[in-house]
Amino acid sequence: TELHMKKWAKHDGRTFNFVEGMNKIIGENEAGKSLIFEAIDFCFHGSEALRLPVGMYGNGLFAAITFEVRGKKYKIDRSLKTAQLFDVEKDSLLAKGNTAVTAEVRKIFGYTRNVFMTSNYSSQDSIQHLSKMLPAERKRTIDNVIGLSAVEKVLKNHKAELTVLRR
């Protein structure tokens, strides 16, 4: 529902509010659109999400995200050194530390970063391309990307990881 970015190049001190459903981020080249996605991914998955080596980011790099999953609101505050995950409604700390927060995010979502990126992120121009397709072709394309066949492929490829998560 909300993303706050601090020390993110073009988005230092910026807050973005999102609405339920699909949100579209548009802007000129080099305006920082990809930085917004990187910050969201960083909040959920830590330094694994960063495009550059960690040392190239300043010490003050920080992002906070408020989000809702299955009717429950959460907030993550994350820097390069630490992270905290909160239950917003209960105003309680659920996890502290980068590894612990990332593990809890996996439990909340029920899937890994790879699945998160596939199901929640569309690269530049893909939405425009989809909008130009005929309805039947668009449905086939979406089913191929996020449909049952994609889920089955992910399950097969990550069977060992799923076993660990289930435990």
Side-chain angles (χ1 to χ4, degrees), residues 10-68:
K10 298 175 184 200
H11 297 307
D12 184 23
R14 301 259 334 250
T15 299
F16 299 91
N17 293 295
F18 303 101
V19 297
E20 187 175 335
M22 187 179 297
N23 288 265
K24 184 176 181 180
I25 298 172
I26 57 173
E28 298 291 323
N29 288 341
E30 301 300 318
K33 299 177 299 291
S34 295
L35 278 177
I36 296 168
F37 289 111
E38 186 176 2
I40 292 169
D41 192 14
F42 174 70
C43 284
F44 293 137
H45 305 105
S47 61
E48 173 184 9
L50 299 176
R51 293 179 282 174
L52 302 173
V54 172
M56 295 185 75
Y57 294 84
N59 285 337
L61 187 75
F62 174 84
I65 192 163
T66 304
F67 63 103
E68 188 174 322

Side-chain angles (χ1 to χ4, degrees), residues 36-101:
I36 296 168
F37 289 111
E38 186 176 2
I40 292 169
D41 192 14
F42 174 70
C43 284
F44 293 137
H45 305 105
S47 61
E48 173 184 9
L50 299 176
R51 293 179 282 174
L52 302 173
V54 172
M56 295 185 75
Y57 294 84
N59 285 337
L61 187 75
F62 174 84
I65 192 163
T66 304
F67 63 103
E68 188 174 322
V69 175
R70 291 181 290 283
K72 190 168 182 179
K73 284 187 120 178
Y74 301 92
K75 182 179 181 198
I76 297 173
D77 294 337
R78 193 182 293 260
S79 70
L80 292 173
K81 296 182 181 184
T82 190
Q84 295 181 314
L85 171 65
F86 299 93
D87 178 321
V88 172
E89 282 127 12
K90 293 181 181 177
D91 194 26
S92 62
L93 181 67
L94 299 174
K96 185 174 184 174
N98 281 309
T99 303
V101 168

Side-chain angles (χ1 to χ4, degrees), residues 78-126:
R78 193 182 293 260
S79 70
L80 292 173
K81 296 182 181 184
T82 190
Q84 295 181 314
L85 171 65
F86 299 93
D87 178 321
V88 172
E89 282 127 12
K90 293 181 181 177
D91 194 26
S92 62
L93 181 67
L94 299 174
K96 185 174 184 174
N98 281 309
T99 303
V101 168
T102 301
E104 283 298 313
V105 166
R106 282 188 177 184
K107 289 178 188 174
I108 291 167
F109 288 149
Y111 47 76
T112 64
R113 179 174 181 257
N114 289 339
V115 176
F116 173 82
M117 294 303 287
T118 301
S119 61
N120 294 291
Y121 176 78
S122 297
S123 61
Q124 296 177 8
D125 298 325
S126 61

Side-chain angles (χ1 to χ4, degrees), residues 141-159:
T141 301
I142 291 170
D143 284 348
N144 286 337
V145 173
I146 62 171
L148 185 57
S149 61
V151 172
E152 288 171 349
K153 184 177 178 182
V154 168
L155 289 172
K156 180 181 176 186
N157 291 339
H158 299 288
K159 188 175 183 178

